[in-house]
Amino acid sequence: MRCTWCDSEYTFTGGDHFTVDQILEKVREFGCPLIEVTGGEPLAQREAFNLIEQLCEAGYEVLIETGGYVSTEAVDPRAKIILDVKCPASGEAERNHWPNLDRVRADKDEVKFVIADRADWEFATEIIARYQLEERTRAILISPAWNQIDLQELANWIVQSRLKVRLQLQLHKYIWGADVHGV
């Protein structure tokens, strides 16, 4: 975790085991009002739902970045969801939990598509239309897969589509390189 306001950083790694109370204490030390729960699939963690609820109860603005294959139904409604819809090139499209798209909220939630090729783009536009995501989400994020697609070509597809989407680059990879972690 990194606080963008005070530049404090703390990483909970896969081998670490912390109680919800220990995590809440560390979050309080940061003094930041915005917390993003992410990393792999946070909703697959047994205590994630309790942690999210406790963070909301403590008054934090809570973002959940989810891989989209675990149901978001039990997520505290005060939290904002960034839902990743897996496209075909990821090899994980069959894992999408489609009812999650029925629950997105226009005032809070975002949907993200990682695009590796033209087939992914066409898949994304089909899902955007089928679930009426332009009207039903706060934002639709189009994120190019690193080093797999021509950015100019993708930008042209976006412009030609006239869809209300945002091109979202993984800036940390452009600034520090694709292999750098923890930034």
Side-chain angles (χ1 to χ4, degrees), residues 71-90:
S71 174
T72 59
E73 188 172 20
V75 172
D76 190 296
R78 296 171 289 187
K80 298 174 183 177
I81 295 172
I82 305 163
L83 180 69
D84 187 359
V85 175
K86 302 297 186 197
C87 294
S90 72

Side-chain angles (χ1 to χ4, degrees), residues 146 170-181 183:
W146 178 255
Q170 296 175 309
L171 288 179
H172 63 284
K173 290 185 178 182
Y174 290 94
I175 297 169
W176 291 284
D179 298 326
V180 176
H181 298 283
V183 294

Side-chain angles (χ1 to χ4, degrees), residues 20 22 38 55 57 74-75 85 97 101 152 160 165:
V20 168
Q22 288 171 316
T38 187
L55 289 166
E57 279 297 316
V75 172
V85 175
H97 185 73
L101 287 173
Q152 195 171 53
Q160 291 165 1
V165 300

Side-chain angles (χ1 to χ4, degrees), residues 93-134:
E94 70 283 347
R95 295 183 75 190
N96 288 317
H97 185 73
W98 297 111
N100 284 339
L101 287 173
D102 294 326
R103 284 188 282 279
V104 294
R105 302 160 296 175
D107 62 329
K108 290 185 177 192
D109 300 333
E110 301 178 357
V111 176
K112 178 176 74 171
F113 298 88
V114 177
I115 307 296
D117 55 28
R118 181 67 188 209
D120 280 357
W121 171 249
E122 290 173 4
F123 175 85
T125 60
E126 178 186 328
I127 299 302
I128 291 166
R130 182 184 310 157
Y131 287 91
Q132 302 172 334
L133 296 179
E134 286 182 284

Side-chain angles (χ1 to χ4, degrees), residues 45-82:
Q45 305 305 312
R46 190 173 70 239
E47 287 294 317
F49 296 94
N50 181 33
L51 173 62
I52 293 163
E53 182 180 352
Q54 295 297 319
L55 289 166
C56 289
E57 279 297 316
Y60 293 102
E61 180 179 358
V62 181
L63 309 177
I64 312 303
E65 189 156 351
T66 172
Y69 60 86
V70 174
S71 174
T72 59
E73 188 172 20
V75 172
D76 190 296
R78 296 171 289 187
K80 298 174 183 177
I81 295 172
I82 305 163

Side-chain angles (χ1 to χ4, degrees), residues 118-159:
R118 181 67 188 209
D120 280 357
W121 171 249
E122 290 173 4
F123 175 85
T125 60
E126 178 186 328
I127 299 302
I128 291 166
R130 182 184 310 157
Y131 287 91
Q132 302 172 334
L133 296 179
E134 286 182 284
E135 296 82 28
R136 296 185 50 252
T137 62
R138 185 172 162 269
I140 302 168
L141 310 172
I142 302 298
S143 185
W146 178 255
N147 252 0
Q148 293 184 38
I149 190 166
D150 180 85
L151 296 179
Q152 195 171 53
E153 189 172 35
L154 178 58
N156 285 333
W157 297 340
I158 291 170
V159 169

